[in-house]
Amino acid sequence: MLHDFFGNTAAYCNLIVNGQTIEKVNSCKYLRIIIDDELKCNLHIVNIYKNLMKYTSIFYKLRDKLPDQMLREIYYAFIHSDVLYGVEIYANTKPTYLDKLMKLNNKLLRILQCRPITTPIRELYKTYNTLLITDLHKQQLLLFVHKFIHHPELLPEIFINNKFFTFNDEIHKYNTRNKSNIHLYQSATSAGLRSVSHKATVLWNELSLTLKRMTAFKCNIKQYLLSLY
């Protein structure tokens, strides 16, 4: 709700486009991503959780009947594909919103691999050569930066035309070791620190120069993140 100068509650402003009033809703789905009116992504995360929950009992029945390789392929086809889609958007939220989904993903991996509950979580992911949801988020942000630098033609023009990232050597001409890094603009708000531009900049600047220049970047960045396990 909006408030006037005296603190009284006022009605929502009407948004009119081409003579048509745009209805205010609590959420909407766009390209399979559920966007809520507070941009918390919790509705989308709940939706993924419900989609994956139905596989729990199915996987219990399948794991003793199929070979390991086929179970791995089933995970990538039905679980990983859902988790990966839009992860750079929905995982950019509070850890508490992701916790339930991450625990379910752990459980599904444990079921398919017939592992006891005491198995270290990261071992489950290394066995299937995949990443925790929080690290999938990092991977996708780094791939986005790599495209921006090396394959801008693969990105929408808005990112290039509006200079989504600015490099240090565009700000100053000093010959420092960080001159090829992305310039990090400081932010005083939590929303600013969670923004894609800020998080992607921090992640990219932390990479070694060797890793940044690797040609098979997608494969190498995944292995780098796995190596941290």
Side-chain angles (χ1 to χ4, degrees):
M1 300 295 288
L2 298 178
H3 301 275
D4 62 19
F5 180 80
F6 299 101
N8 300 316
T9 301
Y12 285 108
C13 292
N14 288 328
L15 178 62
I16 301 175
V17 178
N18 293 331
Q20 182 176 357
T21 301
I22 305 300
E23 179 186 0
K24 184 185 184 302
V25 296
N26 294 326
S27 65
C28 66
K29 182 178 285 189
Y30 181 71
L31 297 177
R32 288 175 50 200
I33 302 291
I34 299 176
I35 304 171
D36 60 271
D37 57 354
E38 295 183 354
L39 299 179
K40 291 182 177 179
C41 295
N42 54 333
L43 293 179
H44 183 74
I45 293 168
V46 168
N47 187 59
I48 300 175
Y49 181 89
K50 289 179 179 178
N51 289 340
L52 301 192
M53 191 65 189
K54 63 187 178 185
Y55 291 105
T56 306
S57 58
I58 297 173
F59 286 175
Y60 272 120
K61 296 173 183 177
L62 289 179
R63 69 179 186 177
D64 297 323
K65 296 178 175 62
L66 298 175
D68 292 341
Q69 180 59 31
M70 190 170 292
L71 291 173
R72 184 177 183 273
E73 291 172 1
I74 287 174
Y75 172 80
Y76 271 90
F78 294 99
I79 307 302
H80 186 266
S81 58
D82 258 11
V83 169
L84 183 64
Y85 185 81
V87 71
E88 56 268 54
I89 298 172
Y90 78 77
N92 192 25
T93 187
K94 294 180 179 180
T96 51
Y97 295 154
L98 280 176
D99 185 63
K100 195 174 180 180
L101 178 60
M102 291 184 69
K103 287 178 178 177
L104 176 59
N105 197 30
N106 299 342
K107 181 178 181 178
L108 293 171
L109 284 168
R110 190 179 293 113
I111 293 171
L112 289 174
Q113 296 176 30
C114 299
R115 299 291 193 94
I117 197 169
T118 54
T119 306
I121 299 300
R122 296 180 188 278
E123 188 175 325
L124 298 173
Y125 286 84
K126 290 186 76 171
T127 299
Y128 270 19
N129 193 37
T130 188
L131 298 165
L132 289 156
I133 293 175
T134 48
D135 288 328
L136 284 174
H137 174 64
K138 294 177 184 178
Q139 173 190 261
Q140 295 305 102
L141 291 184
L142 288 168
L143 289 174
F144 170 60
V145 179
H146 188 265
K147 282 182 182 179
F148 181 89
I149 297 172
H150 299 286
H151 303 285
E153 71 281 0
L154 300 178
L155 293 176
E157 290 183 0
I158 188 171
F159 291 112
I160 309 304
N161 295 341
N162 292 342
K163 294 292 292 180
F164 196 76
F165 295 111
T166 303
F167 293 86
N168 284 335
D169 59 6
E170 299 177 67
I171 303 294
H172 62 74
K173 300 302 179 182
Y174 302 114
N175 190 24
T176 64
R177 64 179 181 177
N178 296 323
K179 68 175 183 178
S180 60
N181 281 354
I182 302 175
H183 185 71
L184 181 63
Y185 292 97
Q186 298 302 317
S187 176
T189 65
S190 58
L193 295 174
R194 286 206 319 271
S195 67
V196 169
S197 58
H198 188 278
K199 292 181 72 173
T201 296
V202 172
L203 289 168
W204 182 262
N205 289 348
E206 288 176 347
L207 296 181
S208 67
L209 192 58
T210 302
L211 190 54
K212 291 176 183 177
R213 291 177 175 175
M214 285 185 174
T215 51
F217 185 78
K218 184 175 183 179
C219 178
N220 283 295
I221 197 60
K222 181 179 181 179
Q223 294 308 311
Y224 164 73
L225 292 170
L226 275 172
S227 72
L228 300 179
Y229 291 2

